[in-house]
Amino acid sequence: MPAIFVDGREIQADKGQTVLQAALAAGCDLPYFCYHPALSIAGSCRVCVVQVEGRSWVEIACNMPVTEGLRVLTDSDLVREHRAAMLELTLLNHPVDCGICDKAGECTLQDYHFQYHGKPSVSLEPKVQRTKHFPLSSRIVLDNERCILCSRCVRFTREVSGSNGLGIQDRGDHSLVRASEDGAFERDAYSDNVVDLCPVGALLPRAFVHRSRVWYLKATPSVCPGCARGCTVDIWHRKPEWKLHALDPAKNTRIERVTPRENPDVNGPWICNKGRDLAKIFERPRAMQALMSGRPATLDAAIVAARELIASARTPLALVSNWASNEELAAFAATLGARMRSFVKADWSPAPGEVVEDALLIRADKNPNTAGALAHFPAWDGEFGDADVVVVWGEGVDVSRIPRMAAVIRLSSYATADTTSARVFIPLSIQTERAGRYTNFAGTVSAFARCFDAPAGVADAEALFPLLAVPAKATA
Ligand code: SF4
Ligand code: SF4
């Protein structure tokens, strides 16, 4: 544990750390663009400079190993002068179109300029114009005028995702980030992480371009249900105090974007592109209406009918959802588990063309809580046996295969054709409308919070199961 001195303050560093890493870990305020803790050192942006005491020059802190007794200054006149000069160079050809840039509010170039420089450009030359809205892939557009050539995006595809899908072509102010011609970046299942890595607004996801200013949005901690990894994410949606009144009200309750919530135990700082597309999963057409034999019914009437069916069944069977939270599963086990044979079925299987599994994050099990469900019930073998009542909770069951003698109780959130064929259909809330926990494939439990209120007429599964368990005669 070498001790170093930053601006006269003693800091205990870890062996092998750089001065930048040790200083940041100790709470020092040092600017940087190209450095990222999960990527190799590039040393190209030159704004993290420090001055070793007694020397008359500055050096980059990101590539300076700590050594016992090293004394550095992070705010000397020389450091401030050099940092300001580097920021002026970085901004020389930058368009400064912050007013229309989706990174505004989250851009470190904006922040550092105001913090460490803050002066207008002294250049009399016109800015070099480069390509704007360049289609880097079907998911990402690149504004080359905003790019500060930090190379984080390029290093990510080489060192993390492994696609080698990006590179920098040409030299000097002609340099351009470009995708390789073999389409590797298009196929990169983790490509959208470069958007988070980009310190400026050069890389933007098409799904979010000009959709909302970030200061109108709120991040709610959640868990991606896209596979058994259970990556922790932030779901961004409109802040309650910034609700829109004049426009489409659905914009107040939609998912604007999804970003990783860094978690060393599960996903580190990354998520895959499927996790970015949670709106495609959650914003499918919903089932909002309870049904009895295909006819609309009140939620209360449907609950009573389902309860009577379960109470009178001789050989009831339940197929439990592995998209249910640990809390919902516990409620089911406590109230209905002893009444019926219960098995865990897979709600989702790999979709055609989807990456099934890889060595980074993506798991072959496309469900978030198989481990949590299997802690209560065994896996389903696909047979219905002699069941006279079948409770199908969630998705993934071909209801037409259920023997016609059996009455079906469907509990689901989405509008599918089989809702009308069930004897009783009860619509359920979805993950973004409730709080809970999932247990991932490795046994790590992660919590998700509620983003939106559930629509009227939709049941919360955890509250529903005790109502289904009361014997019919007790409610008469
Ligand atoms: S596009 Fe962004 S991440 Fe990539 S080199 Fe340019 S500034 Fe860096
Ligand atoms: S790896 Fe799995 S859990 Fe993580 S973001 Fe992708 S689909 Fe979601």
Side-chain angles (χ1 to χ4, degrees), residues 190 224-231 233 271-275 361-363:
Y190 297 90
C224 173
C227 81
R229 173 71 59 179
C231 296
V233 296
I271 56 172
C272 79
N273 291 351
K274 184 179 181 183
L361 295 178
I362 299 172
R363 305 288 303 179

Side-chain angles (χ1 to χ4, degrees), residues 16 46 51 64 87 100 105 113 243 365 368 378 418 432-433 453:
R46 321 301 287 186
Q51 182 180 7
M64 183 189 292
L87 283 163
I100 57 157
H113 173 65
K243 290 272 189 229
D365 177 4
D418 62 20
T432 50
E433 295 159 359
D453 292 336

Side-chain angles (χ1 to χ4, degrees), residues 38-73:
L39 300 175
S40 62
I41 301 295
S44 60
C45 75
R46 321 301 287 186
V47 289
C48 69
V49 287
V50 292
Q51 182 180 7
V52 176
E53 285 185 32
R55 292 184 185 165
S56 59
W57 63 91
V58 293
E59 295 155 77
I60 51 173
C62 68
N63 206 23
M64 183 189 292
V66 292
T67 51
E68 182 63 38
L70 181 71
R71 304 183 74 93
V72 296
L73 301 172

